[in-house]
Amino acid sequence: GAGVSQSPRYKVAKRGQDVALRCDPISGHVSLFWYQQALGQGPEFLTYFQNEAQLDKSGLPSDRFFAERPEGSVSTLKIQRTQQEDSAVYLCASSTRSGYGYTFGSGTRLTVV
Amino acid sequence: DQQVKQNSPSLSVQEGRISILNCDYTNSMFDYFLWYKKYPAEGPTFLISISSIKDKNEDGRFTVFLNKSAKHLSLHIVPSQPGDSAVYFCADAGGTSYGKLTFGQGTILTVHP
């Protein structure tokens, strides 16, 4: 497609439930990023992939967060045993290798109740 | 650690007047910054960037100024239009070779007709 697609758009999870958030980047985009945006804050970096390689996961807040991109295209962010503080919008962005031409998806709004 | 601060949570401007959004930063490695605009329920979209070799970059109604000695940048929108009403984020893109972004908290701009 023409843009970065994220699904689902909204997710309500009960505390303790596992969730999986999907990102379909722009075709051919090598770089893929995940960001977390809490209410009233700017996006915060979670992790970065170059093709299928996860080169930076320094922003993942705990070992309950796991991201993968097994074939270098679609990526999944998984959160195990969700907590209320995980409630946020999760943004995916992709870009070409060479520059900072990030295109962001519309995000997945996760609410943990 | 890199830090980016937008100290004004909101700004209200009359249509046709100038909007000035401010951003302060610390510990930027390469002094390369971007401004993003975000509408509700959408992902951030790239607006304009500036690198350390310049102190000004202009694109239509949008101009970004960089003051490296003061570690300050600003975005000027002239003339402001109601469609400019959105949340504006500045971001430091200079921390890594692959363009990891450190965002400010955002400023909500409202342009009144």
Side-chain angles (χ1 to χ4, degrees), chain A residues 33-92:
Chain A
F33 300 79
W34 284 97
Y35 289 83
Q36 179 191 57
Q37 185 178 14
L39 190 63
Q41 301 296 316
E44 291 194 0
F45 171 82
L46 291 176
T47 189
Y48 164 70
F49 288 87
Q50 186 177 94
N51 295 307
E52 69 280 2
Q54 189 176 20
L55 299 185
D56 187 345
K57 54 182 181 178
S58 62
L60 296 176
S62 77
D63 58 7
R64 296 186 296 104
F65 286 71
F66 172 76
E68 60 183 6
R69 195 185 184 198
E71 296 177 359
S73 55
V74 171
S75 178
T76 304
L77 176 67
K78 298 179 179 177
I79 308 173
Q80 296 177 323
R81 306 181 303 281
T82 52
Q83 304 293 318
Q84 282 193 314
E85 62 263 27
D86 300 335
S87 296
V89 175
Y90 290 85
L91 294 163
C92 177

Side-chain angles (χ1 to χ4, degrees), chain B residues 34-93:
Chain B
L34 302 90
W35 283 92
Y36 281 83
K37 174 179 177 179
K38 186 181 184 302
Y39 293 118
E42 294 184 12
T45 55
F46 170 74
L47 204 52
I48 193 168
S49 64
I50 190 162
S51 65
S52 59
I53 61 173
K54 292 184 174 182
D55 55 14
K56 174 183 173 181
N57 189 26
E58 197 170 349
D59 183 2
R61 297 186 296 114
F62 301 90
T63 304
V64 57
F65 297 90
L66 175 61
N67 182 334
K68 291 187 289 292
S69 60
K71 296 188 184 300
H72 177 84
L73 62 155
S74 61
L75 175 69
H76 294 210
I77 307 173
V78 182
S80 301
Q81 299 173 354
D84 296 329
S85 297
V87 182
Y88 289 79
F89 294 99
C90 66
D92 182 349

